[in-house]
């Protein structure tokens, strides 16, 4: 009998952009390929939280409108980078254009999908993959092979 190597099924989540009446305008398919996506998502999410902390501190200390504008721009860039990591550059651009560059509303609607759906699902997939890899390294089997 020949050894068989199988491909695993791809995990996907759908994200729907809806208008004011609740009608679906666009459905985006988010590929949750752990090898590619999870590292990028974690890095971009960490960058976003870091920028948020830095800009909050700068905004609190500053009275200048120019510095506040710079903070908002940095936050916007960090959010778009996170969206690109999750959705890809094309779909992230569609999300930004769908919300007409209204970043506050966009964050309120899209970031919970990332934090409550994408990140936990990627974490579960990662744990499943680790478990299946570790099962291949059964200690009893290995001892038996080297006797």
């Amino acid at each position: 009998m020949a050894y068989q190597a199988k491909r695993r099924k791809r995990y996907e989540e759908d994200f729907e952009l809806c208008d004011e009446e609740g009608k679906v305008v666009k459905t985006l398919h988010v590929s949750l390929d752990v090898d590619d996506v999870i590292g990028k998502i974690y890095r971009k999410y960490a960058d976003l939280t870091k920028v948020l902390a830095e800009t909050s501190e700068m905004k609190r200390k500053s009275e200048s409108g120019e510095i506040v504008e710079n903070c908002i721009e940095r936050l916007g860039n960090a959010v778009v980078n996170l969206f690109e990591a999750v959705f890809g550059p094309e779909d992230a651009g569609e999300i930004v254009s769908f919300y007409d560059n209204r970043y506050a509303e966009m964050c309120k609607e899209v970031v919970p999908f990332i934090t409550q759906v994408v990140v936990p699902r990627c974490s579960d997939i990662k744990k499943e993959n680790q478990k299946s890899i570790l099962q291949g390294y059964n200690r009893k089997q290995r001892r038996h092979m080297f006797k």
Side-chain angles (χ1 to χ4, degrees), residues 31 36-37 40-41 44 80-89 92:
S31 175
D36 296 336
V37 174
K40 287 192 291 187
I41 291 173
K44 298 300 181 185
V80 170
N81 288 338
L82 176 63
F83 289 0
E84 286 178 356
V86 173
F87 298 102

Side-chain angles (χ1 to χ4, degrees), residues 94-133:
E94 285 192 38
I95 292 170
V96 171
S97 65
F98 177 78
Y99 283 101
D100 296 323
N101 295 324
R102 294 189 316 238
Y103 288 96
E105 180 183 3
M106 182 173 62
C107 288
K108 183 178 151 198
E109 296 295 325
V110 180
V111 171
F113 170 74
I114 295 170
T115 59
Q116 297 171 7
V117 176
V118 173
V119 171
R121 184 68 179 127
C122 283
S123 181
D124 292 344
I125 294 168
K126 182 179 168 186
K127 286 177 186 173
E128 288 174 18
N129 289 346
Q130 287 174 339
K131 185 177 178 181
S132 66
I133 289 170

